Amino acid sequence: EPEVTQTPSHQVTQMGQEVILRCVPISNHLYFYWYRQILGQKVEFLVSFYNNEISEKSEIFDDQFSVERPDGSNFTLKIRSTKLEDSAMYFCASRRTERTTQYFGPGTRLLVL
Amino acid sequence: EDKVVQSPLSLVVHEGDTVTLNCSYEVTNFRSLLWYKQEKKAPTFLFMLTSSGIEKKSGRLSSILDKKELFSILNITATQTGDSAVYLCAVEAETSGSRLTFGEGTQLTVNP
């Protein structure tokens, strides 16, 4: 069964460094999402992406964040200058249409020191 | 702002018990409510509910939505230790982007 995949599974970085989190959505899916979950807290929406542009973003998704679909398969989240409070699990999700289920990847655990 | 409240926040039961997890919500222009199971990492999909009163069933799990009273329940019968997980409820509105808004989750522990 097709799955959303994410790399790396874990990333440790120093505050102020740039990180890129990578996702490969399910191949026939058209809508892509990033969520994050700070340890012990709710899953929070960051951004949605369709037709090569951002559809919606949350207040968390400030100028330090960007997303890109550089080719036909990858979907990336970049954090330009990481802060301690960016430490979280980051989940990518995808769906085929707006009426179908969002399927989540296994996540990337980001730790900012 | 969309809001999802789940209860209880945690629940400890014995194998074989039946549990009911609750989810109430407030959302403008409701589209759907979803239940996910989160064991160690990614939320895995259980149910998507869009219509009131129609029960969705998958093995020992079932769920129903009440759009008038703005809540949903997830039932698990004959619980097993493998059901131990966090169960997440999320809602989606009819908006561009279609974000999911999650509740805090119910931590279910099933003891042998």
Side-chain angles (χ1 to χ4, degrees), chain A residues 9-10 33 35 37 42-45 48 55-59 89 91 95 98-107, chain B residues 1 3-4 31-32 34 36 38 40-45 48 88 92 94-104:
Chain A
S9 58
H10 294 80
Y33 303 82
Y35 293 84
Q37 187 175 31
K42 293 184 187 186
V43 177
E44 301 173 289
F45 168 79
S48 58
S55 308
E56 190 182 4
K57 58 185 180 179
S58 71
E59 52 282 354
M89 180 74 93
F91 293 111
R95 71 200 307 183
E98 276 195 311
R99 298 282 167 183
T100 55
T101 304
Q102 290 187 32
Y103 291 93
F104 283 75
Chain B
E1 185 180 325
K3 191 175 172 187
V4 177
R31 174 186 284 168
S32 62
L34 297 95
Y36 288 86
Q38 186 176 30
K40 288 182 181 171
K41 287 194 174 179
T44 54
F45 171 73
M48 176 190 270
L88 300 173
E92 182 182 15
E94 291 275 8
T95 60
S96 168
S98 304
R99 64 165 72 183
L100 292 179
T101 300
F102 282 86
E104 291 186 20

Side-chain angles (χ1 to χ4, degrees), chain B residues 2-71:
Chain B
D2 300 343
K3 191 175 172 187
V4 177
V5 177
Q6 292 186 245
S7 64
L9 293 181
S10 69
L11 190 55
V12 180
V13 300
H14 291 289
E15 265 192 319
D17 288 351
T18 293
V19 298
T20 298
L21 310 183
N22 304 292
C23 175
S24 63
Y25 64 90
E26 294 172 24
V27 61
T28 305
N29 295 325
F30 174 88
R31 174 186 284 168
S32 62
L33 183 145
L34 297 95
W35 286 96
Y36 288 86
K37 178 181 182 182
Q38 186 176 30
E39 292 179 86
K40 288 182 181 171
K41 287 194 174 179
T44 54
F45 171 73
L46 295 174
F47 298 111
M48 176 190 270
L49 302 152
T50 56
S51 302
S52 262
I54 298 173
E55 186 183 51
K56 294 234 175 166
K57 207 166 163 60
S58 175
R60 296 176 293 102
L61 277 66
S62 62
S63 183
I64 198 159
L65 175 67
D66 185 328
K67 286 167 77 173
K68 186 179 172 190
E69 299 298 329
L70 307 182
F71 77 90

Side-chain angles (χ1 to χ4, degrees), chain A residues 37-102:
Chain A
Q37 187 175 31
I38 295 170
L39 191 63
Q41 296 187 23
K42 293 184 187 186
V43 177
E44 301 173 289
F45 168 79
L46 293 177
V47 65
S48 58
F49 192 87
Y50 169 71
N51 201 25
N52 281 320
E53 59 184 29
I54 290 174
S55 308
E56 190 182 4
K57 58 185 180 179
S58 71
E59 52 282 354
I60 302 167
F61 194 89
D62 62 22
D63 292 344
Q64 292 301 312
F65 291 88
S66 62
V67 289
E68 197 177 35
R69 188 154 161 82
D71 53 43
S73 57
N74 290 285
F75 179 51
T76 62
L77 174 70
K78 182 194 287 187
I79 310 175
R80 284 190 189 82
S81 177
T82 49
K83 306 183 203 117
L84 296 176
E85 55 265 35
D86 293 328
S87 295
M89 180 74 93
Y90 287 80
F91 293 111
C92 173
S94 70
R95 71 200 307 183
R96 190 169 53 83
T97 74
E98 276 195 311
R99 298 282 167 183
T100 55
T101 304
Q102 290 187 32

Side-chain angles (χ1 to χ4, degrees), chain A residues 2-20:
Chain A
E3 292 179 335
V4 178
T5 59
Q6 290 185 242
T7 54
S9 58
H10 294 80
Q11 175 129 19
V12 181
T13 191
Q14 296 290 324
M15 192 169 56
Q17 294 295 304
E18 175 183 287
V19 295
I20 298 176

Side-chain angles (χ1 to χ4, degrees), chain B residues 71-89:
Chain B
F71 77 90
S72 174
I73 59 172
L74 175 68
N75 278 319
I76 309 174
T77 59
T79 51
Q80 301 170 357
T81 54
D83 295 327
S84 296
V86 176
Y87 289 84
L88 300 173
C89 175

